[in-house]
Amino acid sequence: MKQQQKNWYSKVKNRLHLDEKCNKAKAEKVVQPANVSQHKFFPFIHFQIKQFKLSKKLEQRENELSVIDPYKKRDIYYAGHLDSYIYSYYNEKLLEYYEKFLQNNYLECSIAYRHIDKNNVGTGKSNIDFAAEVFKEIKNRKGCYAIGLDIHSFFDELDHKILYKNLCKLTEKDKLPDDLYQIYKILTKFHFIELDELLNNKYIKANRSDFWDKETHSFKKICSTKIFRKILTEKKDIIKKNPNVNKGIPQGTNLSGTLANIYMLDFDVTIQNFVNKIKGYYRRYSDDILILVNSKNELDSLLILIEDELKKLKLELSKQKTICCHFQDNNCDYEPCSFRKEYNSSAEFQYLGFTYNGKIILVRNGTIGAFWRDAIRHIRKMVLYNYKNKTRIPIAKIYGLYSHLSNRESKYGNFYSYIRKSQRIFEKDYQFGKEVKIKFQMSKSWEILHKYLIKLKEKYKISDKELPIPKDIRENSCL
């Protein structure tokens, strides 16, 4: 697995923060070690991504759009632009050490947060490729036990002392140099500001969209340094500290993923060595662990080893998310194990957003449901906003985003592009052929989309002129 170096400067995204992006010459000056060790970092901006979790019962209903509590919350912290250049630059430097470590220890298990070349053409592998490789390995083995494990609150639980020790081990230093220690210190003792609290401050009072510059297609900075100092003088508690003194790093920086991989150095070596001895198969995608073994005895020994090794790292598994399956001659059955005894659905193995039961490959039902939940929310917002403002309802945009009529040539694409890409990679690149039924899962999407548009038209009395629906769809609106 080769690491292809990318331009650290171009990796920094434009975000709404207290500073703006700068030219490369200035960024190159900022990332020099002498400057990094003295750099004054901005606090992170924090917000939460909230996702509904589909119940097992609802997931099994075809075309079901309903969702239930509880919310799945994910904390996101993003850095200022100058700070991000530093994180991106040092991410490339640490990746060089990390790739060397993997090569020296013959490790191919760590697959997240790295560029892994596909067919030596410069194109990197994606989650689709990683899932396809696992399912292909299962198929080729004829019979095996597949176990999928999830580490609980991974980034929040990374112990600072263990991370420091592993950074020294990786860089072959007794202690970190001043520049790298400065970064380590900022990411472990990080400070942050709640985005909503900052935007609602009396000196700002603005929405996120108010800072978007249509001409430059970028965000303007939230406020001047003078205004920010005034806010700090009047409201000192607006800057908050990492609530955990000895553990946790912010998820969302250019460096977070690589640090998480470095944290797992010893774990990966131990598990890979065990798996090699029993001729198994091991992959770790961030906090998702995947292992294939050949017998139940090997599985039981493996689970004991994994739990012991995670305890050394002060980590725990989300045991309720454990998936253990026994594959034999293209058949799949759930296998009770010490981490999970019962399952409430038909047997299938889930990995990186896809499922496989020995015969059929699909996208997870939860992924389809999440797509329609977000689609309906966005469609409703677009339709009602334009209808109330008496502007043209962008039906072409709705079709482009949420139907098979998306632009196939666009490098951005939409969910349908992802579906088509998944179908092609599984079916042709990994030669699963007719076992791949991913495109079939979206076969009724055209009807679902128009069923909702017709519902909006009827509820808000929107005319055909304002929101045109194809004639054949209107005539079959009972669908």
Side-chain angles (χ1 to χ4, degrees):
M1 294 184 179
K2 296 180 180 180
Q3 171 72 20
Q4 177 176 308
Q5 292 296 325
K6 289 189 176 181
N7 190 317
W8 56 268
Y9 176 79
S10 64
K11 281 186 174 183
V12 174
K13 297 178 180 178
N14 177 251
R15 310 294 290 267
L16 179 60
H17 213 286
L18 295 162
D19 66 347
E20 296 175 305
K21 291 189 76 171
C22 67
N23 58 45
K24 190 172 182 179
K26 183 176 180 180
E28 287 176 338
K29 185 177 179 180
V30 169
V31 302
Q32 295 305 307
N35 294 330
V36 170
S37 59
Q38 302 295 322
H39 183 73
K40 302 298 182 184
F41 288 78
F42 273 119
F44 289 92
I45 296 289
H46 171 255
F47 66 95
Q48 279 189 333
I49 295 176
K50 296 182 180 180
Q51 294 177 318
F52 288 106
K53 295 175 70 176
L54 294 169
S55 72
K56 294 290 183 183
K57 188 174 181 181
L58 289 181
E59 278 188 359
Q60 294 171 35
R61 298 181 189 172
E62 188 176 6
N63 302 328
E64 178 60 68
L65 305 179
S66 301
V67 289
I68 63 168
D69 284 327
Y71 282 103
K72 179 180 179 180
K73 298 177 182 178
R74 183 180 168 209
D75 289 301
I76 296 297
Y77 301 86
Y78 65 89
H81 296 96
L82 285 182
D83 303 345
S84 293
Y85 291 125
I86 293 173
Y87 296 138
S88 184
Y89 179 79
Y90 276 81
N91 182 59
E92 296 298 326
K93 291 184 68 173
L94 287 177
L95 272 174
E96 291 179 8
Y97 287 107
Y98 185 65
E99 291 295 327
K100 183 180 177 182
F101 177 87
L102 296 181
Q103 195 173 35
N104 291 342
N105 289 275
Y106 305 101
L107 295 178
E108 293 190 341
C109 53
S110 175
I111 55 178
Y113 313 118
R114 302 169 56 215
H115 177 95
I116 300 175
D117 200 40
K118 182 176 180 178
N119 300 328
N120 295 316
V121 293
T123 303
K125 291 183 180 180
S126 68
N127 68 303
I128 307 171
D129 295 285
F130 298 139
E133 288 175 346
V134 168
F135 296 164
K136 195 70 175 180
E137 183 71 22
I138 291 172
K139 184 177 181 179
N140 291 341
R141 283 174 177 259
K142 306 296 184 184
C144 67
Y145 291 84
I147 181 83
L149 305 167
D150 182 88
I151 301 174
H152 175 68
S153 300
F154 187 38
F155 286 87
D156 295 335
E157 297 296 325
L158 300 185
D159 183 82
H160 296 162
K161 288 184 179 179
I162 295 174
L163 179 60
Y164 184 89
K165 182 194 76 173
N166 281 9
L167 280 168
C168 291
K169 177 180 180 179
L170 190 73
T171 56
E172 300 178 341
K173 305 283 186 183
D174 293 329
K175 68 174 186 176
L176 296 180
D178 291 344
D179 55 332
L180 190 52
Y181 180 72
Q182 172 78 333
I183 294 170
Y184 163 82
K185 185 173 63 175
I186 291 296
L187 289 175
T188 53
K189 311 296 181 186
F190 66 92
H191 294 69
F192 63 94
I193 300 175
E194 297 290 349
L195 179 59
D196 289 342
E197 186 178 359
L198 183 59
L199 296 184
N200 290 328
N201 185 274
K202 65 181 182 180
Y203 292 109
I204 299 173
K205 283 289 181 184
N207 296 317
R208 188 173 182 273
S209 58
D210 295 334
F211 296 95
W212 181 251
D213 189 326
K214 292 182 179 179
E215 292 184 6
T216 61
H217 293 279
S218 62
F219 284 107
K220 294 177 270 188
K221 65 180 181 180
I222 295 175
C223 64
S224 66
T225 304
K226 184 177 179 180
I227 292 294
F228 184 58
R229 284 174 179 165
K230 190 177 289 188
I231 292 172
L232 290 180
T233 302
E234 297 184 14
K235 192 173 176 56
K236 294 180 180 179
D237 62 348
I238 195 170
I239 297 181
K240 299 171 178 61
K241 296 181 181 180
N242 176 11
N244 299 310
V245 178
N246 300 315
K247 63 180 182 179
I249 62 172
Q251 185 175 358
T253 75
N254 302 69
L255 194 51
S256 300
T258 299
L259 290 179
N261 277 340
I262 292 169
Y263 190 86
M264 301 295 285
L265 292 179
D266 294 337
F267 179 88
D268 285 340
V269 170
T270 301
I271 301 302
Q272 186 70 71
N273 288 340
F274 177 88
V275 169
N276 288 345
K277 289 178 182 177
I278 61 173
K279 297 182 179 179
Y281 183 89
Y282 169 46
R283 291 292 183 268
R284 181 180 59 79
Y285 190 95
S286 189
D287 57 351
D288 288 326
I289 296 170
L290 174 284
I291 302 179
L292 307 180
V293 296
N294 301 303
S295 70
K296 187 67 164 62
N297 288 337
E298 290 173 353
L299 174 65
D300 293 337
S301 300
L302 173 69
L303 295 182
I304 292 171
L305 178 64
I306 287 174
E307 199 160 30
D308 288 344
E309 290 302 310
L310 287 178
K311 281 181 181 177
K312 294 177 184 177
L313 297 176
K314 301 182 181 180
L315 297 173
E316 295 180 354
L317 291 170
S318 296
K319 293 186 178 181
Q320 73 279 7
K321 295 182 180 180
T322 297
I323 298 177
C324 187
C325 293
H326 181 211
F327 287 89
Q328 189 68 47
D329 299 326
N330 296 326
N331 291 315
C332 174
D333 295 299
Y334 281 129
E335 181 69 28
C337 66
S338 57
F339 292 166
R340 187 175 178 182
K341 302 292 185 184
E342 297 179 354
Y343 299 87
N344 300 318
S345 59
S346 57
E348 59 183 13
F349 190 74
Q350 296 185 14
Y351 187 61
L352 300 184
F354 299 92
T355 67
Y356 184 49
N357 65 2
K359 299 181 181 70
I360 296 173
I361 294 173
L362 299 169
V363 171
R364 283 181 61 249
N365 285 336
T367 303
I368 305 290
F371 162 72
W372 279 116
R373 181 199 71 237
D374 293 340
I376 284 175
R377 183 175 59 196
H378 190 210
I379 290 168
R380 183 178 185 276
K381 184 177 179 180
M382 278 196 290
V383 169
L384 296 186
Y385 175 84
N386 287 278
Y387 176 63
K388 291 176 180 177
N389 287 280
K390 297 182 179 181
T391 54
R392 185 175 62 85
I393 295 173
I395 189 66
K397 182 177 180 179
I398 291 173
Y399 285 156
L401 290 172
Y402 303 114
S403 83
H404 63 285
L405 300 177
S406 62
N407 181 4
R408 289 173 183 254
E409 301 302 320
S410 171
K411 67 177 181 179
Y412 300 106
N414 64 6
F415 187 69
Y416 289 86
S417 306
Y418 178 73
I419 291 294
R420 288 192 291 265
K421 182 180 179 181
S422 301
Q423 177 77 27
R424 175 181 55 78
I425 288 176
F426 275 102
E427 182 181 336
K428 296 182 179 179
D429 294 4
Y430 293 89
Q431 300 179 342
F432 278 99
K434 294 182 179 180
E435 292 179 76
V436 189
K437 306 292 184 183
I438 293 173
K439 284 177 70 175
F440 177 77
Q441 290 177 275
M442 302 297 288
S443 60
K444 294 187 177 180
S445 59
W446 187 248
E447 288 87 347
I448 294 173
L449 172 61
H450 287 95
K451 182 178 179 180
Y452 184 68
L453 289 174
I454 289 169
K455 182 179 177 181
L456 283 177
K457 281 171 63 78
E458 292 174 349
K459 183 175 181 179
Y460 295 100
K461 297 181 172 54
I462 302 173
S463 68
D464 290 338
K465 184 177 180 180
E466 293 167 309
L467 181 55
I469 301 291
K471 186 178 179 181
D472 60 324
I473 296 293
R474 293 200 308 269
E475 291 173 351
N476 294 280
S477 60
C478 59
L479 290 172

